[in-house]
Amino acid sequence: IQFAYGRFNIPIPRTAVGQATAGVAINRTLDDLLPGDILVFAEHDAEPTHVGLYVGDGKFIHSASRGVRLSQLSEDDTEGRLWLRHWTAVRRIVE
């Protein structure tokens, strides 16, 4: 996420915790998301542990053990269901 924003000379914090407080809070609903929003994930209302960059159509990119992945926030998607359950916040850096 930091790399993607950095390509446009927009500085943001490096860690998930830092990115979870960057920009402004947005409602945590798919209808309110815009491409470029930061999706924040945590387990059991704990400190944020992961972030993703929303790309549209319910999908986001994020770092994974095998590189960058494209995932979907959907109960119909096996992996997406897990992310949907751990999705705690949205931060908007740019309009």
Side-chain angles (χ1 to χ4, degrees):
I1 310 299
Q2 186 187 37
F3 175 81
Y5 273 102
R7 300 281 294 166
F8 295 94
N9 296 318
I10 301 171
I12 62 169
R14 182 185 62 79
T15 65
V17 171
Q19 291 176 19
T21 60
V24 296
I26 300 298
N27 290 332
R28 190 178 56 87
T29 61
L30 286 174
D31 289 339
D32 289 336
L33 296 179
L34 292 176
D37 286 346
I38 295 175
L39 307 182
V40 180
F41 302 94
E43 290 190 33
H44 313 292
D45 295 325
E47 187 173 86
T49 55
H50 197 71
V51 290
L53 187 64
Y54 188 69
V55 296
D57 198 30
K59 297 176 184 174
F60 66 101
I61 57 171
H62 58 107
S63 292
S65 57
R66 294 186 178 159
V68 177
R69 266 187 81 78
L70 178 65
S71 295
Q72 185 159 357
L73 290 169
S74 172
E75 283 291 339
D76 297 332
D77 181 82
T78 305
E79 182 182 339
R81 186 176 314 127
L82 172 70
W83 290 116
L84 192 57
R85 292 176 184 162
H86 293 289
W87 181 27
T88 61
V90 179
R91 305 302 293 191
R92 183 161 295 154
I93 306 299
V94 295
E95 283 288 330

